[in-house]
Amino acid sequence: MPFDPAVVEAVRVNTPATLRRAATIPARRSVKKDHQAAWLARAVSMIDLTTLSGDDTPGRVRRLCAKALSPVRADLLEAIGLPDLTTGAVCVYHDMVPVAVEAVAGRIPVAAVSTGFPAGLSPFHLRLREIEESVAAGATEIDIVISRRHVLTGDWAALYDETAQMRAACRDAHMKAILATGELGTLKNVMKASMVTMMAGSDFIKTSTGKEAVNATLPVSLTMMRAIRAYDSAAGFKVGYKPAGGVSKAKDAITYLALLKEELGDRWLRPDLFRFGASSLLGDIERQLEHHVTGRYSASHRHAIG
């Protein structure tokens, strides 16, 4: 959509009501037994299994990709009737994209964090070049980071222009715009940034880099989901959502999926419109699925992701 400052200025967020609504979701009765296993299996299919460490090596990335292709023990998947279950994607730094592309062999997407991740403060022409290099290396999804200063100073036109140029650099790759919501100050800023980055062509909006002091939260997720709903109503285009950082327990995953179903509907309960940015989440989900199948809990160290 062309940039429309009137849309941005019309944004309103009732913060107390948002906080009250978000607080009701985890307080409800949890799903149990087969229903819980089904929700957890769906959550696995929507994880971007991630390694973004300075000490990443090709061996670590290959192990991560092997886990992404076989995320849960084979006997457990057979028991729940989902022997071919995989995660939604793997997410790595640019240098590891060729290794990941070779390892997954086209079975799942490879996402690359880009544009001076996590701060997004490198020269803009280099951020665009980084996107182009990652796409050329085989990444089919690009996680970009916005310039937070444009949000904090209210320069929405600059945010739109930068995001649109990044979208053009992604070409056929899907672009996830990371808002770094923990650094934006208010839910109103989160809503405005969501609307502007969607207008500029983002395929997904994402909460966090995972490196901020505060990452994904339910109030922020509710705000961003309602922005997605408003954008779908205005533009007729469904934008995906990705909470990242802080979602590490199976129970938390079900809470987020419940909120997603209530706010956006069943269409978003698919990997093309929803992802968890996570690394440790998968281990806890596998542990819960083992309990569902065997009736026994195992130690968490038996479910490492790498």
Side-chain angles (χ1 to χ4, degrees):
M1 290 177 63
F3 177 66
D4 185 351
V7 171
V8 183
E9 292 308 314
V11 165
R12 299 289 184 272
V13 177
N14 186 331
T15 298
T18 301
L19 296 177
R20 287 195 301 271
R21 164 79 173 111
T24 67
I25 301 299
R28 297 178 186 177
R29 185 184 298 276
S30 179
V31 292
K32 299 295 184 182
K33 299 184 178 180
D34 288 348
H35 299 288
Q36 182 187 61
W39 279 91
L40 292 178
R42 178 61 60 92
V44 169
S45 74
M46 297 188 289
I47 290 176
D48 279 359
L49 199 58
T50 302
T51 181
L52 297 172
S53 300
D55 58 353
D56 282 343
T57 63
R60 173 183 287 181
V61 171
R62 291 188 188 99
R63 290 194 300 273
L64 186 86
C65 293
K67 186 64 174 176
L69 296 176
S70 300
V72 178
R73 234 174 48 213
D75 61 313
L76 301 180
L77 291 181
E78 288 287 348
I80 64 174
L82 295 170
D84 299 320
L85 184 68
T86 68
T87 65
V90 292
C91 184
V92 295
Y93 276 119
H94 165 75
D95 278 0
M96 294 297 163
V97 169
V99 176
V101 169
E102 180 183 11
V104 302
R107 290 183 57 191
I108 59 174
V110 172
V113 295
S114 194
T115 63
F117 179 94
L121 294 176
S122 57
F124 186 65
H125 71 281
L126 295 180
R127 284 181 264 166
L128 295 180
R129 184 62 179 165
E130 187 178 3
I131 293 172
E132 294 166 353
E133 292 283 349
S134 292
V135 172
T140 54
E141 299 179 358
I142 303 294
D143 289 24
I144 64 105
V145 288
I146 68 167
S147 299
R148 279 75 113 186
R149 63 183 180 275
H150 295 326
V151 177
L152 297 173
T153 60
D155 195 346
W156 304 111
L159 177 61
Y160 176 91
D161 182 60
E162 282 194 0
T163 307
Q165 290 187 61
M166 292 175 185
R167 183 67 197 87
C170 288
R171 301 173 67 87
D172 293 334
H174 280 206
M175 187 178 83
K176 307 189 196 89
I178 306 172
L179 305 188
T181 54
E183 298 178 346
L184 299 188
T186 66
L187 292 179
K188 188 174 182 179
N189 278 345
V190 171
M191 176 72 89
K192 288 185 174 183
S194 298
M195 294 301 295
V196 172
T197 53
M198 287 188 289
M199 280 192 275
S202 298
D203 297 290
F204 267 73
I205 52 175
K206 175 180 171 182
T207 59
S208 322
T209 64
K211 309 295 185 181
E212 294 88 51
V214 178
N215 296 293
T217 67
L218 289 173
V220 159
S221 294
L222 177 58
T223 301
M224 294 174 71
M225 287 178 192
R226 289 189 172 174
I228 289 170
R229 192 168 70 194
Y231 187 78
D232 184 29
S233 178
F237 185 82
K238 291 176 171 55
V239 174
Y241 177 61
K242 180 178 176 180
V247 185
S248 59
K249 300 297 183 183
K251 182 178 179 180
D252 296 335
I254 291 178
T255 298
Y256 274 88
L257 293 180
L259 179 63
L260 182 75
K261 179 179 174 67
E262 292 185 7
E263 290 295 327
L264 292 174
D266 290 347
R267 178 60 187 87
W268 268 263
L269 291 171
R270 301 180 188 178
D272 63 326
L273 286 176
F274 184 80
R275 300 284 178 81
F276 288 108
S279 53
S280 58
L281 173 61
L282 179 57
D284 193 55
I285 291 178
E286 185 176 19
R287 185 168 175 261
Q288 299 300 325
L289 288 174
E290 180 170 358
H291 178 264
H292 172 73
V293 173
T294 67
R296 298 182 300 275
Y297 278 113
S298 64
S300 58
H301 68 261
R302 295 184 60 243
H303 303 279
I305 66 164

